[in-house]
Amino acid sequence: MATEQHEWSGWRTAAEQALYGTGGFFRSAEGPAGHFRTSVHASPLYAQAVARLLERVDEALGRPAELALVDLGAGRGELLTGVLALAPGLPHGLEWRLRAYAVERAERPAGLDGRIAWLDAPPEGCVGLLFANEWLDNVPVDVAETDADGVPRRVEVDLTAGDGTERLGAPVAGEDAAWLARWWPLAGAEPGLRAEIGHPRDAAWARAVRSLRAGLAVAVDYAHERAARPPFGTLTGFREGREVRPVPDGSCDLTAHVAMDACAAAAGPGSGLMTQAEALRALGLDARRPPLTLATTDPAGYVRALSAAGEAAELTDPAGLGAFTWLLHPVGPACAALRHL
């Protein structure tokens, strides 16, 4: 009788192939927007807020001859498309000085605005704003789980079963163990507790920050900090708008929340952390309903204002998108004050 063969892998390797390999989830023609909805997709108000932030960066830098907007993890270029649509209204000739860069590992979408450069890595030496919306959660990481003796072991996933079956592998060691000890301690914990080992994200964010010569780097994501790590981890899948079991076969998104305090430390001192609700309010988003008197004096304007207030409320909802964490890292002294917006 033939013995069924199994191929086991750590989650970092498995997710890398499933998301970015040949036929991977993020390389599909449909793109991620067909499976989940980010703040970028929720409302054009998000692009307006990023445009306002870009104006602040431009002013802090003294309005340079060229100002970069680098969208890291650009999807299909939706955010840059939204900001460029607003470009004619940007002050001080920023429309003509703006250089837009989309960083994504998928192929350039057909029909994308020709002003957008499509790259597979951030351009080096830019001056401006680097913005990474829901990028870090898709940087693959390994998962650890404590065994019956409280020893953190690497979680392995069966690549042949096609259903996300897992087992515990070897004890976590080396760089992974050092990261856990500092940022997400598991040693000696009760059996079954889990952690995502975040140092690949720390390194990815530090590289992204270093790509700027001057300006502001911003990461926006589902996140947690050391004092309140989720006890069973957060690795999950998304397919067609629904949360599903994570299976590394390319059919679904594979995502895990980000240890944002660790990423901040990796990039060096000077970062600021705030919720998306706080950040967007600081950038002018107003979720208050318009006065009813407007309905009688300007009915169409009232409907528009009411719709905008609803979209702003979704983006700043503390039980939803508003709970995202913004990590703001100034590069150079000119933008230092922007870490608090």
Side-chain angles (χ1 to χ4, degrees), residues 66 117 184 238 257 317:
E66 290 189 358
W184 200 331
F238 280 94
H257 295 195
D317 180 2

Side-chain angles (χ1 to χ4, degrees), residues 57 180 197 226 259 274 285 295:
V57 171
L180 285 178
I197 305 172
R226 194 181 190 279
M274 59 199 314
L285 260 69

Side-chain angles (χ1 to χ4, degrees), residues 43-56 274-289 305 308-313 315-316 326 340-341:
S43 169
L45 294 177
Y46 197 75
Q48 289 182 27
V50 173
R52 291 191 188 106
L53 180 56
L54 186 67
E55 290 179 37
R56 294 188 186 183
M274 59 199 314
T275 67
Q276 174 154 297
E278 294 167 335
L280 293 183
R281 289 178 188 132
L283 291 169
L285 260 69
D286 188 352
R288 292 175 296 180
R289 294 170 63 92
E311 293 175 8
L315 289 171
T316 57
W326 282 42
H340 301 305
L341 292 185

Side-chain angles (χ1 to χ4, degrees), residues 2-6 160-161:
T3 301
E4 185 177 358
Q5 297 296 313
H6 295 270
T160 54

Side-chain angles (χ1 to χ4, degrees), residues 10-340:
W11 269 107
R12 182 182 179 187
T13 299
E16 177 69 27
Q17 181 60 33
L19 295 177
Y20 304 111
T22 303
F25 177 80
F26 282 108
R27 291 186 177 275
S28 68
E30 182 182 22
H35 294 269
F36 55 85
R37 187 165 175 261
T38 72
S39 298
V40 175
H41 309 120
S43 169
L45 294 177
Y46 197 75
Q48 289 182 27
V50 173
R52 291 191 188 106
L53 180 56
L54 186 67
E55 290 179 37
R56 294 188 186 183
V57 171
D58 186 44
E59 181 179 4
L61 292 171
R63 304 190 183 103
E66 290 189 358
L67 188 78
L69 175 57
V70 181
D71 185 6
L72 186 51
R76 294 300 177 266
E78 297 94 338
L79 177 60
L80 289 176
T81 298
V83 173
L84 287 174
L86 301 168
L90 296 177
H92 307 293
L94 182 51
E95 175 186 8
W96 311 112
R97 295 183 287 113
L98 183 59
R99 302 293 180 265
Y101 300 93
V103 181
E104 186 57 77
R105 294 170 69 174
E107 295 298 319
R108 181 187 182 96
L112 186 68
D113 192 314
R115 292 172 292 177
I116 300 175
W118 193 263
L119 309 172
D120 60 5
E124 294 292 333
C126 283
V127 171
L129 173 63
L130 181 145
F131 202 85
N133 182 66
E134 292 194 51
W135 170 66
L136 282 170
D137 68 291
N138 288 126
V139 174
V141 293
D142 276 316
V143 178
E145 181 178 322
T146 49
D147 65 13
D149 298 317
V151 175
R153 292 182 176 271
R154 188 179 310 279
V155 175
E156 297 179 341
V157 60
D158 189 344
L159 300 180
T160 54
D163 60 2
T165 297
E166 295 178 336
R167 72 177 186 185
L168 295 187
V172 175
E175 184 179 17
D176 291 347
W179 189 92
L180 285 178
R182 180 180 180 187
W183 293 110
W184 200 331
L186 283 182
E190 62 186 87
L193 298 190
R194 289 168 68 114
E196 287 99 31
I197 305 172
H199 66 79
R201 293 171 172 177
D202 299 352
W205 178 242
R207 285 194 300 272
V209 169
R210 288 196 302 269
S211 72
L212 280 180
R213 178 158 52 90
L216 182 70
V218 180
V220 183
D221 234 308
Y222 301 99
H224 44 70
E225 297 183 49
R226 194 181 190 279
R229 302 286 190 221
F232 303 106
T234 60
L235 177 66
T236 191
F238 280 94
R239 182 189 300 116
E240 298 176 352
R242 296 184 179 182
E243 188 171 2
V244 297
R245 183 174 183 177
V247 178
D249 61 0
S251 70
C252 66
D253 181 25
L254 298 172
T255 176
H257 295 195
V258 181
M260 201 69 93
D261 48 349
C263 291
S271 295
L273 293 170
M274 59 199 314
T275 67
Q276 174 154 297
E278 294 167 335
L280 293 183
R281 289 178 188 132
L283 291 169
L285 260 69
D286 188 352
R288 292 175 296 180
R289 294 170 63 92
L292 284 173
T293 53
L294 184 63
T296 57
T297 59
D298 183 4
Y302 176 78
V303 171
R304 289 193 299 271
L306 189 63
S307 175
E311 293 175 8
E314 181 183 6
L315 289 171
T316 57
D317 180 2
L321 295 174
F324 275 42
T325 296
W326 282 42
L327 165 59
L328 302 104
H329 189 97
V331 178
C335 290
L338 292 178
R339 69 178 181 273
H340 301 305

